[in-house]
Amino acid sequence: SQQGEEDPQALSIQEGENATMNCSYKTSINNLQWYRQNSGRGLVHLILIRSNEREKHSGRLRVTLDTSKKSSSLLITASRAADTASYFCATSPWSGAGSYQLTFGKGTKLSVIP
Amino acid sequence: EAQVTQNPRYLITVTGKKLTVTCSQNMNHEYMSWYRQDPGLGLRQIYYSMNVEVTDKGDVPEGYKVSRKEKRNFPLILESPSPNQTSLYFCASSLAGELFFGEGSRLTVL
């Protein structure tokens, strides 16, 4: 069952620009996570934001969460060619042990042009 | 180094020939899971395990089996592979809800 839907599906920017990706979901969540996947490789966890949080930062990443609109955004500032990857949001409706059950969106493919 | 290791990384096989994709993690995680990734369909969960001897179906379990006899290992078994199981497979383990993924196993069934 697909919960998160990323937008846009693809994004191409110049190195140094900021990249913004959005995720919308349908049902109530306990937490929302963002992952990065380099072409054909395993997904790497970037950041987790809980339903009672509105914004979170990690290095050049900023994630916001609006539970009233059931949406989240991932901002990558001062992008680099190495940021070229697909980015996925994943949601969990459960707390505790159930929070491990994540539903992934289909991803945004980001291309950063040197 | 903390990691999730899958083998084989690449495999071409024929319809009906049983195969096993192994998954091992060295982080002492209780939760492990298998996903398949297909173009246009994203990542879909096949099976998961909350702990040793506890497994449950995900969204697309048909044609797959798993076992969890020890905490570190979670093999994925295809008893009779079919071409629609051609896909990129990922094993993952979890601590506090954050998933750690293996590098993937690309399986082609002819």
CSV table of all heavy atoms in Angstrom, one decimal, chain A residues 31-84:
chain,number,residue,atom,x,y,z
A,31,ASN,N,5.6,8.8,12.6
A,31,ASN,CA,6.8,9.5,12.1
A,31,ASN,C,6.9,9.5,10.6
A,31,ASN,O,6.3,8.7,10.0
A,31,ASN,CB,8.1,8.9,12.8
A,31,ASN,CG,8.4,7.5,12.3
A,31,ASN,OD1,8.9,7.4,11.2
A,31,ASN,ND2,8.1,6.5,13.1
A,32,LEU,N,7.8,10.3,10.1
A,32,LEU,CA,8.0,10.4,8.7
A,32,LEU,C,9.5,10.5,8.5
A,32,LEU,O,10.2,11.2,9.2
A,32,LEU,CB,7.4,11.6,8.0
A,32,LEU,CG,7.5,11.7,6.5
A,32,LEU,CD1,6.2,12.4,5.9
A,32,LEU,CD2,8.7,12.5,6.1
A,33,GLN,N,10.0,9.7,7.6
A,33,GLN,CA,11.5,9.6,7.4
A,33,GLN,C,11.8,9.9,5.9
A,33,GLN,O,11.0,9.7,5.0
A,33,GLN,CB,12.0,8.2,7.7
A,33,GLN,CG,11.7,7.8,9.2
A,33,GLN,CD,12.2,6.4,9.5
A,33,GLN,OE1,13.3,6.1,9.1
A,33,GLN,NE2,11.4,5.7,10.3
A,34,TRP,N,13.0,10.4,5.7
A,34,TRP,CA,13.5,10.6,4.3
A,34,TRP,C,14.8,9.7,4.1
A,34,TRP,O,15.6,9.6,5.0
A,34,TRP,CB,13.9,12.0,4.1
A,34,TRP,CG,12.7,12.9,3.9
A,34,TRP,CD1,12.0,13.6,4.9
A,34,TRP,CD2,12.0,13.2,2.7
A,34,TRP,NE1,11.0,14.3,4.3
A,34,TRP,CE2,10.9,14.1,3.0
A,34,TRP,CE3,12.2,12.8,1.3
A,34,TRP,CZ2,10.1,14.6,2.0
A,34,TRP,CZ3,11.4,13.3,0.4
A,34,TRP,CH2,10.3,14.2,0.7
A,35,TYR,N,14.8,9.1,3.0
A,35,TYR,CA,15.9,8.2,2.6
A,35,TYR,C,16.5,8.7,1.2
A,35,TYR,O,15.8,9.2,0.4
A,35,TYR,CB,15.5,6.8,2.5
A,35,TYR,CG,15.2,6.1,3.8
A,35,TYR,CD1,14.0,6.3,4.4
A,35,TYR,CD2,16.1,5.3,4.4
A,35,TYR,CE1,13.7,5.7,5.7
A,35,TYR,CE2,15.9,4.7,5.6
A,35,TYR,CZ,14.7,4.9,6.2
A,35,TYR,OH,14.4,4.3,7.4
A,36,ARG,N,17.8,8.4,1.0
A,36,ARG,CA,18.4,8.7,-0.2
A,36,ARG,C,18.9,7.4,-0.8
A,36,ARG,O,19.4,6.5,-0.1
A,36,ARG,CB,19.6,9.6,-0.1
A,36,ARG,CG,20.3,10.0,-1.4
A,36,ARG,CD,21.6,10.7,-1.1
A,36,ARG,NE,22.7,9.8,-0.7
A,36,ARG,CZ,23.4,10.0,0.4
A,36,ARG,NH1,23.2,11.1,1.2
A,36,ARG,NH2,24.4,9.2,0.7
A,37,GLN,N,18.8,7.3,-2.2
A,37,GLN,CA,19.3,6.1,-2.9
A,37,GLN,C,20.1,6.5,-4.1
A,37,GLN,O,19.5,7.1,-5.0
A,37,GLN,CB,18.1,5.2,-3.3
A,37,GLN,CG,18.6,3.9,-4.0
A,37,GLN,CD,17.4,3.1,-4.6
A,37,GLN,OE1,16.4,3.6,-5.0
A,37,GLN,NE2,17.6,1.8,-4.5
A,38,ASN,N,21.4,6.2,-4.0
A,38,ASN,CA,22.2,6.4,-5.2
A,38,ASN,C,21.9,5.2,-6.2
A,38,ASN,O,21.5,4.2,-5.8
A,38,ASN,CB,23.7,6.4,-4.9
A,38,ASN,CG,24.0,7.6,-4.1
A,38,ASN,OD1,23.9,7.7,-2.9
A,38,ASN,ND2,24.4,8.7,-4.8
A,39,SER,N,22.0,5.5,-7.5
A,39,SER,CA,21.5,4.6,-8.5
A,39,SER,C,21.8,3.1,-8.2
A,39,SER,O,22.9,2.7,-8.2
A,39,SER,CB,22.2,5.0,-9.8
A,39,SER,OG,21.7,4.2,-10.9
A,40,GLY,N,20.7,2.4,-8.0
A,40,GLY,CA,20.8,0.9,-7.9
A,40,GLY,C,21.4,0.5,-6.5
A,40,GLY,O,21.6,-0.7,-6.3
A,41,ARG,N,21.7,1.4,-5.6
A,41,ARG,CA,22.3,1.0,-4.4
A,41,ARG,C,21.3,1.0,-3.3
A,41,ARG,O,20.1,1.2,-3.5
A,41,ARG,CB,23.4,2.1,-4.0
A,41,ARG,CG,24.4,2.4,-5.1
A,41,ARG,CD,25.4,1.2,-5.2
A,41,ARG,NE,26.2,1.0,-4.0
A,41,ARG,CZ,27.3,1.6,-3.6
A,41,ARG,NH1,27.8,2.5,-4.4
A,41,ARG,NH2,27.9,1.3,-2.5
A,42,GLY,N,21.7,0.6,-2.1
A,42,GLY,CA,20.8,0.5,-0.9
A,42,GLY,C,20.4,1.9,-0.5
A,42,GLY,O,21.1,2.9,-0.7
A,43,LEU,N,19.2,2.0,0.1
A,43,LEU,CA,18.7,3.3,0.6
A,43,LEU,C,19.5,3.6,1.9
A,43,LEU,O,19.9,2.8,2.7
A,43,LEU,CB,17.3,3.2,0.9
A,43,LEU,CG,16.3,3.3,-0.2
A,43,LEU,CD1,16.3,2.1,-1.1
A,43,LEU,CD2,14.9,3.7,0.2
A,44,VAL,N,19.7,4.9,2.1
A,44,VAL,CA,20.4,5.4,3.3
A,44,VAL,C,19.5,6.4,4.0
A,44,VAL,O,18.9,7.3,3.4
A,44,VAL,CB,21.7,6.2,2.9
A,44,VAL,CG1,22.4,6.8,4.1
A,44,VAL,CG2,22.7,5.2,2.2
A,45,HIS,N,19.4,6.1,5.3
A,45,HIS,CA,18.5,7.0,6.1
A,45,HIS,C,19.1,8.4,6.3
A,45,HIS,O,20.3,8.6,6.5
A,45,HIS,CB,18.3,6.4,7.5
A,45,HIS,CG,17.5,7.2,8.4
A,45,HIS,ND1,18.0,8.1,9.3
A,45,HIS,CD2,16.2,7.2,8.6
A,45,HIS,CE1,17.0,8.6,10.0
A,45,HIS,NE2,15.9,8.1,9.6
A,46,LEU,N,18.2,9.4,6.1
A,46,LEU,CA,18.7,10.8,6.2
A,46,LEU,C,18.2,11.4,7.5
A,46,LEU,O,19.0,12.0,8.2
A,46,LEU,CB,18.2,11.6,5.0
A,46,LEU,CG,18.7,11.2,3.6
A,46,LEU,CD1,18.1,12.1,2.5
A,46,LEU,CD2,20.2,11.4,3.6
A,47,ILE,N,16.9,11.4,7.7
A,47,ILE,CA,16.4,12.1,8.8
A,47,ILE,C,15.0,11.6,9.2
A,47,ILE,O,14.3,11.1,8.3
A,47,ILE,CB,16.3,13.6,8.5
A,47,ILE,CG1,16.2,14.5,9.7
A,47,ILE,CG2,15.2,13.9,7.5
A,47,ILE,CD1,16.5,16.0,9.4
A,48,LEU,N,14.7,11.6,10.5
A,48,LEU,CA,13.4,11.2,10.9
A,48,LEU,C,12.7,12.3,11.7
A,48,LEU,O,13.4,13.0,12.5
A,48,LEU,CB,13.5,10.0,11.9
A,48,LEU,CG,12.3,9.4,12.6
A,48,LEU,CD1,12.5,7.9,12.9
A,48,LEU,CD2,11.9,10.1,13.8
A,49,ILE,N,11.4,12.6,11.4
A,49,ILE,CA,10.7,13.6,12.1
A,49,ILE,C,9.4,13.0,12.7
A,49,ILE,O,8.7,12.3,12.0
A,49,ILE,CB,10.4,14.8,11.2
A,49,ILE,CG1,9.8,16.0,12.0
A,49,ILE,CG2,9.6,14.5,10.0
A,49,ILE,CD1,9.8,17.3,11.2
A,50,ARG,N,9.2,13.3,13.9
A,50,ARG,CA,8.0,12.7,14.6
A,50,ARG,C,6.8,13.6,14.4
A,50,ARG,O,6.9,14.8,14.1
A,50,ARG,CB,8.3,12.5,16.0
A,50,ARG,CG,9.5,11.6,16.3
A,50,ARG,CD,9.6,11.1,17.7
A,50,ARG,NE,10.9,10.3,17.8
A,50,ARG,CZ,11.0,9.1,17.4
A,50,ARG,NH1,10.1,8.4,16.8
A,50,ARG,NH2,12.2,8.5,17.6
A,51,SER,N,5.6,13.0,14.6
A,51,SER,CA,4.4,13.8,14.3
A,51,SER,C,4.2,15.0,15.2
A,51,SER,O,3.5,15.9,14.8
A,51,SER,CB,3.2,12.8,14.5
A,51,SER,OG,3.1,12.3,15.8
A,52,ASN,N,4.9,15.1,16.3
A,52,ASN,CA,4.8,16.2,17.2
A,52,ASN,C,5.9,17.3,16.9
A,52,ASN,O,6.0,18.3,17.7
A,52,ASN,CB,4.8,15.8,18.7
A,52,ASN,CG,6.0,15.1,19.1
A,52,ASN,OD1,6.9,14.8,18.2
A,52,ASN,ND2,6.2,14.9,20.4
A,53,GLU,N,6.7,17.0,15.9
A,53,GLU,CA,7.7,18.0,15.5
A,53,GLU,C,7.3,18.7,14.2
A,53,GLU,O,6.6,18.1,13.4
A,53,GLU,CB,9.0,17.3,15.3
A,53,GLU,CG,9.5,16.6,16.6
A,53,GLU,CD,10.8,15.8,16.3
A,53,GLU,OE1,10.8,14.9,15.4
A,53,GLU,OE2,11.8,16.0,17.1
A,54,ARG,N,7.8,19.9,14.1
A,54,ARG,CA,7.4,20.7,12.9
A,54,ARG,C,8.6,20.9,11.9
A,54,ARG,O,8.4,21.1,10.7
A,54,ARG,CB,6.8,22.1,13.3
A,54,ARG,CG,5.5,22.0,14.0
A,54,ARG,CD,4.4,21.4,13.0
A,54,ARG,NE,3.2,21.0,13.7
A,54,ARG,CZ,2.9,19.7,14.0
A,54,ARG,NH1,3.7,18.8,13.6
A,54,ARG,NH2,1.8,19.4,14.6
A,55,GLU,N,9.8,20.9,12.5
A,55,GLU,CA,11.0,21.1,11.6
A,55,GLU,C,12.2,20.5,12.3
A,55,GLU,O,12.3,20.3,13.5
A,55,GLU,CB,11.2,22.7,11.6
A,55,GLU,CG,12.3,23.1,10.6
A,55,GLU,CD,12.3,24.6,10.4
A,55,GLU,OE1,11.2,25.2,10.2
A,55,GLU,OE2,13.4,25.1,10.4
A,56,LYS,N,13.0,20.0,11.4
A,56,LYS,CA,14.2,19.3,11.9
A,56,LYS,C,15.4,19.6,10.9
A,56,LYS,O,15.2,19.7,9.7
A,56,LYS,CB,14.0,17.8,12.0
A,56,LYS,CG,14.8,17.2,13.1
A,56,LYS,CD,14.2,15.8,13.5
A,56,LYS,CE,15.1,15.2,14.6
A,56,LYS,NZ,14.6,13.9,14.9
A,57,HIS,N,16.6,19.8,11.4
A,57,HIS,CA,17.7,20.1,10.6
A,57,HIS,C,18.8,19.0,10.8
A,57,HIS,O,19.0,18.4,11.9
A,57,HIS,CB,18.3,21.4,11.0
A,57,HIS,CG,17.4,22.6,10.8
A,57,HIS,ND1,17.6,23.5,9.7
A,57,HIS,CD2,16.3,23.0,11.4
A,57,HIS,CE1,16.7,24.4,9.8
A,57,HIS,NE2,15.9,24.1,10.8
A,58,SER,N,19.5,18.7,9.7
A,58,SER,CA,20.7,17.9,9.8
A,58,SER,C,21.7,18.3,8.7
A,58,SER,O,21.5,18.0,7.6
A,58,SER,CB,20.3,16.4,9.6
A,58,SER,OG,21.5,15.6,9.6
A,59,GLY,N,22.7,19.0,9.1
A,59,GLY,CA,23.7,19.5,8.1
A,59,GLY,C,23.0,20.4,7.1
A,59,GLY,O,22.4,21.4,7.5
A,60,ARG,N,23.1,20.1,5.9
A,60,ARG,CA,22.4,20.9,4.8
A,60,ARG,C,21.0,20.5,4.5
A,60,ARG,O,20.4,21.0,3.6
A,60,ARG,CB,23.2,20.7,3.5
A,60,ARG,CG,24.6,21.3,3.5
A,60,ARG,CD,25.4,21.2,2.2
A,60,ARG,NE,25.6,19.9,1.8
A,60,ARG,CZ,25.0,19.3,0.8
A,60,ARG,NH1,24.1,19.9,0.0
A,60,ARG,NH2,25.3,18.0,0.5
A,61,LEU,N,20.5,19.6,5.4
A,61,LEU,CA,19.1,19.1,5.2
A,61,LEU,C,18.2,19.8,6.2
A,61,LEU,O,18.5,20.0,7.3
A,61,LEU,CB,19.0,17.6,5.4
A,61,LEU,CG,19.9,16.7,4.6
A,61,LEU,CD1,19.7,15.3,5.0
A,61,LEU,CD2,19.7,16.9,3.1
A,62,ARG,N,17.0,20.2,5.6
A,62,ARG,CA,16.0,20.7,6.5
A,62,ARG,C,14.7,20.0,6.1
A,62,ARG,O,14.3,20.0,5.0
A,62,ARG,CB,15.8,22.2,6.4
A,62,ARG,CG,14.8,22.8,7.4
A,62,ARG,CD,14.6,24.3,7.1
A,62,ARG,NE,13.6,24.5,6.1
A,62,ARG,CZ,12.6,25.4,6.2
A,62,ARG,NH1,12.6,26.2,7.2
A,62,ARG,NH2,11.8,25.5,5.2
A,63,VAL,N,14.0,19.5,7.1
A,63,VAL,CA,12.7,18.8,6.9
A,63,VAL,C,11.7,19.5,7.7
A,63,VAL,O,11.9,19.9,8.8
A,63,VAL,CB,12.8,17.3,7.4
A,63,VAL,CG1,11.4,16.7,7.4
A,63,VAL,CG2,13.7,16.5,6.4
A,64,THR,N,10.5,19.7,7.0
A,64,THR,CA,9.4,20.3,7.7
A,64,THR,C,8.2,19.3,7.6
A,64,THR,O,8.2,18.4,6.7
A,64,THR,CB,8.9,21.6,7.1
A,64,THR,OG1,8.6,21.4,5.7
A,64,THR,CG2,10.0,22.6,7.2
A,65,LEU,N,7.3,19.3,8.6
A,65,LEU,CA,6.2,18.4,8.7
A,65,LEU,C,5.0,19.3,9.0
A,65,LEU,O,5.0,20.0,10.0
A,65,LEU,CB,6.4,17.3,9.7
A,65,LEU,CG,5.3,16.3,9.9
A,65,LEU,CD1,5.0,15.5,8.6
A,65,LEU,CD2,5.6,15.4,11.0
A,66,ASP,N,3.9,19.1,8.2
A,66,ASP,CA,2.6,19.8,8.5
A,66,ASP,C,1.6,18.7,8.6
A,66,ASP,O,1.1,18.2,7.5
A,66,ASP,CB,2.3,20.8,7.4
A,66,ASP,CG,1.1,21.6,7.7
A,66,ASP,OD1,0.2,21.2,8.5
A,66,ASP,OD2,1.0,22.7,7.1
A,67,THR,N,1.2,18.3,9.8
A,67,THR,CA,0.3,17.2,9.9
A,67,THR,C,-1.1,17.6,9.5
A,67,THR,O,-1.9,16.7,9.1
A,67,THR,CB,0.3,16.7,11.3
A,67,THR,OG1,0.1,17.7,12.3
A,67,THR,CG2,1.6,16.0,11.7
A,68,SER,N,-1.4,18.9,9.6
A,68,SER,CA,-2.8,19.3,9.2
A,68,SER,C,-3.0,19.2,7.7
A,68,SER,O,-4.1,18.9,7.2
A,68,SER,CB,-3.0,20.8,9.6
A,68,SER,OG,-2.2,21.6,8.9
A,69,LYS,N,-1.9,19.3,6.9
A,69,LYS,CA,-2.0,19.2,5.5
A,69,LYS,C,-1.5,17.8,5.1
A,69,LYS,O,-1.5,17.5,3.9
A,69,LYS,CB,-1.1,20.3,4.8
A,69,LYS,CG,-1.6,21.7,5.0
A,69,LYS,CD,-0.8,22.7,4.3
A,69,LYS,CE,-1.3,24.1,4.5
A,69,LYS,NZ,-0.5,25.1,3.9
A,70,LYS,N,-1.0,17.0,6.0
A,70,LYS,CA,-0.5,15.7,5.7
A,70,LYS,C,0.6,15.8,4.6
A,70,LYS,O,0.6,15.2,3.6
A,70,LYS,CB,-1.6,14.7,5.3
A,70,LYS,CG,-2.5,14.3,6.4
A,70,LYS,CD,-3.5,13.3,5.9
A,70,LYS,CE,-4.3,12.7,7.1
A,70,LYS,NZ,-5.1,13.7,7.8
A,71,SER,N,1.6,16.6,4.9
A,71,SER,CA,2.7,16.8,4.0
A,71,SER,C,4.0,17.1,4.7
A,71,SER,O,4.0,17.6,5.8
A,71,SER,CB,2.3,18.0,3.0
A,71,SER,OG,2.3,19.2,3.7
A,72,SER,N,5.1,16.9,4.0
A,72,SER,CA,6.4,17.1,4.5
A,72,SER,C,7.2,17.6,3.3
A,72,SER,O,6.9,17.3,2.1
A,72,SER,CB,7.0,15.8,5.0
A,72,SER,OG,8.4,16.0,5.3
A,73,SER,N,8.3,18.4,3.6
A,73,SER,CA,9.2,18.8,2.6
A,73,SER,C,10.6,18.6,3.0
A,73,SER,O,10.9,18.7,4.2
A,73,SER,CB,9.0,20.3,2.2
A,73,SER,OG,9.3,21.1,3.3
A,74,LEU,N,11.5,18.3,2.1
A,74,LEU,CA,12.9,18.1,2.3
A,74,LEU,C,13.6,19.1,1.5
A,74,LEU,O,13.4,19.2,0.3
A,74,LEU,CB,13.3,16.7,1.9
A,74,LEU,CG,14.9,16.5,1.8
A,74,LEU,CD1,15.5,16.5,3.2
A,74,LEU,CD2,15.2,15.1,1.1
A,75,LEU,N,14.4,20.0,2.2
A,75,LEU,CA,15.2,21.0,1.5
A,75,LEU,C,16.6,20.6,1.6
A,75,LEU,O,17.1,20.4,2.7
A,75,LEU,CB,14.9,22.4,2.2
A,75,LEU,CG,15.9,23.5,1.8
A,75,LEU,CD1,15.7,23.9,0.3
A,75,LEU,CD2,15.7,24.7,2.7
A,76,ILE,N,17.3,20.6,0.5
A,76,ILE,CA,18.8,20.4,0.5
A,76,ILE,C,19.4,21.8,0.1
A,76,ILE,O,19.1,22.3,-1.0
A,76,ILE,CB,19.2,19.3,-0.5
A,76,ILE,CG1,18.5,18.0,-0.1
A,76,ILE,CG2,20.7,19.1,-0.4
A,76,ILE,CD1,18.8,16.9,-1.2
A,77,THR,N,20.1,22.4,0.9
A,77,THR,CA,20.7,23.7,0.6
A,77,THR,C,22.1,23.5,0.0
A,77,THR,O,22.8,22.5,0.2
A,77,THR,CB,20.9,24.6,1.9
A,77,THR,OG1,21.7,23.9,2.8
A,77,THR,CG2,19.5,24.8,2.5
A,78,ALA,N,22.5,24.5,-0.8
A,78,ALA,CA,23.8,24.5,-1.5
A,78,ALA,C,24.1,23.2,-2.1
A,78,ALA,O,25.1,22.5,-1.7
A,78,ALA,CB,24.8,25.0,-0.5
A,79,SER,N,23.3,22.7,-3.0
A,79,SER,CA,23.4,21.3,-3.5
A,79,SER,C,24.8,21.1,-4.2
A,79,SER,O,25.4,22.0,-4.7
A,79,SER,CB,22.3,21.0,-4.5
A,79,SER,OG,22.4,21.9,-5.6
A,80,ARG,N,25.2,19.8,-4.2
A,80,ARG,CA,26.4,19.4,-4.8
A,80,ARG,C,26.2,18.3,-5.8
A,80,ARG,O,25.1,17.6,-5.7
A,80,ARG,CB,27.4,18.9,-3.7
A,80,ARG,CG,27.7,19.8,-2.6
A,80,ARG,CD,28.3,19.2,-1.4
A,80,ARG,NE,28.5,20.1,-0.3
A,80,ARG,CZ,28.8,19.7,1.0
A,80,ARG,NH1,29.0,18.4,1.2
A,80,ARG,NH2,29.0,20.6,1.9
A,81,ALA,N,27.1,18.0,-6.7
A,81,ALA,CA,26.9,17.0,-7.6
A,81,ALA,C,26.7,15.6,-6.9
A,81,ALA,O,25.9,14.8,-7.4
A,81,ALA,CB,28.1,16.9,-8.6
A,82,ALA,N,27.3,15.5,-5.8
A,82,ALA,CA,27.2,14.2,-5.0
A,82,ALA,C,25.8,14.0,-4.4
A,82,ALA,O,25.5,12.9,-4.0
A,82,ALA,CB,28.2,14.2,-3.9
A,83,ASP,N,25.0,15.0,-4.4
A,83,ASP,CA,23.6,14.9,-4.0
A,83,ASP,C,22.7,14.3,-5.0
A,83,ASP,O,21.5,14.0,-4.7
A,83,ASP,CB,23.0,16.3,-3.6
A,83,ASP,CG,23.7,16.9,-2.4
A,83,ASP,OD1,24.2,16.2,-1.5
A,83,ASP,OD2,23.8,18.2,-2.4
A,84,THR,N,23.2,14.1,-6.2
A,84,THR,CA,22.4,13.4,-7.3
A,84,THR,C,22.0,12.0,-6.8
A,84,THR,O,22.9,11.2,-6.5
A,84,THR,CB,23.2,13.3,-8.6
A,84,THR,OG1,23.4,14.7,-9.1
A,84,THR,CG2,22.5,12.5,-9.6
